[in-house]
């Protein structure tokens, strides 16, 4: 991989660029919290060649939302489920919006 390839990945939301320590620092949380949401299967960090956890920006956003809920008194398991459902709803809404853009005005949706 060249330096140019590495710089191109800086814009990739799914590139696992952050170590567990850096991720915890950025989220103002503990490494234990990150392990707990991993055990709850909210996020699955990638592993470096040495076995260290690496997190993407997308995973950090998900973890930050879970942290908000936990800080508000929601148990961690429930917070993880809520975040999963919110993420699924957002994806369904995105797909629905795309579907509606594909239908031309004055026409109906194709039959399933």
């Amino acid at each position: 991989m060249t330096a140019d390839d590495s710089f191109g990945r800086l814009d990739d939301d799914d590139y696992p660029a952050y170590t567990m320590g850096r991720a915890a620092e950025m989220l103002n949380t503990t490494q234990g919290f990150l392990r707990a949401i991993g055990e709850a299967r909210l996020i699955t960090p990638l592993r470096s060649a040495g076995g260290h956890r690496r997190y993407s920006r997308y995973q950090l956003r998900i973890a930050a939302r879970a942290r908000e809920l936990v800080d508000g008194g929601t148990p961690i398991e429930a917070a993880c489920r809520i975040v999963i459902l919110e993420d699924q709803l957002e994806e369904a809404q995105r797909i629905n919006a795309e579907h509606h853009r594909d239908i031309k005005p004055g026409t109906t949706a194709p039959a399933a």
Side-chain angles (χ1 to χ4, degrees), residues 16 43 47 62 64 74 80 94:
I43 58 174
R47 298 281 183 152
I62 295 291
T74 304
C80 290
R94 185 191 62 75

Side-chain angles (χ1 to χ4, degrees), residues 15-59:
Y15 182 69
Y18 304 98
T19 63
M20 177 181 268
R22 180 67 180 130
E25 181 182 307
M26 290 171 68
L27 297 173
N28 196 28
T29 191
T30 65
Q31 293 181 17
F33 176 77
L34 292 173
R35 281 188 211 90
I37 62 174
E39 290 169 10
R41 298 202 166 137
L42 177 61
I43 58 174
T44 304
L46 292 173
R47 298 281 183 152
S48 69
H52 300 283
R53 291 173 178 91
R54 298 285 181 164
Y55 298 88
S56 68
R57 288 189 310 205
Y58 172 75
Q59 289 173 322

Side-chain angles (χ1 to χ4, degrees), residues 2-105:
T2 67
D4 287 339
D5 293 337
S6 295
F7 287 127
R9 290 186 161 184
L10 293 176
D11 292 332
D12 184 353
D13 257 4
D14 295 317
Y15 182 69
Y18 304 98
T19 63
M20 177 181 268
R22 180 67 180 130
E25 181 182 307
M26 290 171 68
L27 297 173
N28 196 28
T29 191
T30 65
Q31 293 181 17
F33 176 77
L34 292 173
R35 281 188 211 90
I37 62 174
E39 290 169 10
R41 298 202 166 137
L42 177 61
I43 58 174
T44 304
L46 292 173
R47 298 281 183 152
S48 69
H52 300 283
R53 291 173 178 91
R54 298 285 181 164
Y55 298 88
S56 68
R57 288 189 310 205
Y58 172 75
Q59 289 173 322
L60 295 183
R61 283 195 302 273
I62 295 291
R65 176 64 180 131
R67 185 79 236 177
E68 284 177 26
L69 292 168
V70 170
D71 287 349
T74 304
I76 195 163
E77 296 82 11
C80 290
R81 183 68 181 138
I82 289 167
V83 173
I84 289 167
L85 291 170
E86 287 175 343
D87 197 49
Q88 288 172 343
L89 176 60
E90 184 179 318
E91 177 68 6
Q93 288 172 330
R94 185 191 62 75
I95 291 169
N96 191 37
E98 284 178 10
H99 176 73
H100 284 287
R101 278 193 301 270
D102 290 344
I103 299 174
K104 294 184 180 13

